[in-house]
């Protein structure tokens, strides 16, 4: 399939993609943005499309995955949708306990308990808590990803058993 044929076939899917995007977002403008992101990803990853396969399914999968990734990213950042007429995003701050005396004591107690855990489990846990990805931790510590995941899991398990006072 030539680049022109690919582009024309992709543009032919626009109406269906917009309908599907609207069913996910419930907002026309967000749906159009999602379709535009889908077109961009499809065009930049054209080399990954296999000849004689279903372009429509491939494009719909890109759209769905893009929507899911945006939703997860919004959840992680604490962004909420404001349903006013303007439909703008604003960050949700919520109530912060940071800087309050009881939170300072809690942080010190939790840090003390974390420091009692063995280095082999504590270091991957602290790195993951600092924002490192499993792969980065594995490379830096010269371990397999499975080993890193299990060490972090067991560290969390130990912490949960020792921090019964902090459960909801």
């Amino acid at each position: 399939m030539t680049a022109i044929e690919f582009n024309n076939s992709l543009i032919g899917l626009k109406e269906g993609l917009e309908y599907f995007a609207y069913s996910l977002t419930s907002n026309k403008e967000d749906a159009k943005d999602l379709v535009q992101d889908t077109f961009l990803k499809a065009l930049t990853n054209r080399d990954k499309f296999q000849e004689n396969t279903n372009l429509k399914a491939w494009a719909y999968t890109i759209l769905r995955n893009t929507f899911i990734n945006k939703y997860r990213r919004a959840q992680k950042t604490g962004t909420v949708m404001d349903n006013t007429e303007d439909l703008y995003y604003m960050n949700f701050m919520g109530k912060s306990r940071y800087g309050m005396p009881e939170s300072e004591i809690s942080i010190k107690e939790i840090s003390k308990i974390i420091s009692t855990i063995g280095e082999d489990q504590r270091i991957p846990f602290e790195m993951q808590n600092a924002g490192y990805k499993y792969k980065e931790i594995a490379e830096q510590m010269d371990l397999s990803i499975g080993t890193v995941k299990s060490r972090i899991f067991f560290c969390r398990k130990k912490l949960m058993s020792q921090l019964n006072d902090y459960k909801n």
Side-chain angles (χ1 to χ4, degrees), residues 41-58:
K41 287 183 180 181
L43 291 171
T44 56
N45 293 303
R46 181 178 168 266
D47 58 319
K48 294 178 182 158
F49 177 71
Q50 295 177 357
E51 200 74 35
N52 299 323
T53 58
N54 191 345
L55 177 65
K56 184 177 180 180
W58 188 68

Side-chain angles (χ1 to χ4, degrees), residues 4-53:
I4 293 172
E5 290 172 339
F6 180 83
N7 294 348
N8 288 336
S9 298
L10 195 60
I11 291 171
L13 300 173
K14 183 180 180 189
E15 189 175 319
L17 287 170
E18 283 179 348
Y19 182 78
F20 181 54
Y22 182 75
S23 73
L24 295 172
T25 62
S26 301
N27 180 304
K28 283 188 179 185
E29 293 304 315
D30 290 341
K32 287 181 180 180
D33 289 344
L34 187 57
V35 170
Q36 189 175 21
D37 290 343
T38 302
F39 281 162
L40 178 64
K41 287 183 180 181
L43 291 171
T44 56
N45 293 303
R46 181 178 168 266
D47 58 319
K48 294 178 182 158
F49 177 71
Q50 295 177 357
E51 200 74 35
N52 299 323
T53 58

Side-chain angles (χ1 to χ4, degrees), residues 5-124:
E5 290 172 339
F6 180 83
N7 294 348
N8 288 336
S9 298
L10 195 60
I11 291 171
L13 300 173
K14 183 180 180 189
E15 189 175 319
L17 287 170
E18 283 179 348
Y19 182 78
F20 181 54
Y22 182 75
S23 73
L24 295 172
T25 62
S26 301
N27 180 304
K28 283 188 179 185
E29 293 304 315
D30 290 341
K32 287 181 180 180
D33 289 344
L34 187 57
V35 170
Q36 189 175 21
D37 290 343
T38 302
F39 281 162
L40 178 64
K41 287 183 180 181
L43 291 171
T44 56
N45 293 303
R46 181 178 168 266
D47 58 319
K48 294 178 182 158
F49 177 71
Q50 295 177 357
E51 200 74 35
N52 299 323
T53 58
N54 191 345
L55 177 65
K56 184 177 180 180
W58 188 68
Y60 276 72
T61 302
I62 291 172
L63 186 136
R64 188 191 77 236
N65 290 344
T66 303
F67 172 76
I68 291 169
N69 290 339
K70 281 185 174 186
Y71 176 80
R72 287 180 179 159
R73 198 172 303 120
Q75 292 298 319
K76 281 185 178 180
T77 60
T79 303
V80 294
M81 183 72 165
D82 181 5
N83 289 322
T84 62
E85 273 185 32
D86 297 334
L87 288 175
Y88 62 93
Y89 286 96
M90 54 188 240
N91 286 324
F92 176 72
M93 294 300 290
K95 292 184 178 179
S96 173
R97 295 178 49 119
Y98 182 75
M100 299 179 76
E102 64 270 11
S103 69
E104 295 296 324
I105 293 170
S106 300
I107 291 171
K108 287 179 184 174
E109 289 176 9
I110 292 169
S111 297
K112 184 178 177 182
I113 292 171
I114 290 172
S115 68
T116 64
I117 295 175
E119 242 184 52
D120 61 324
Q121 291 178 348
R122 181 177 42 85
I123 292 173

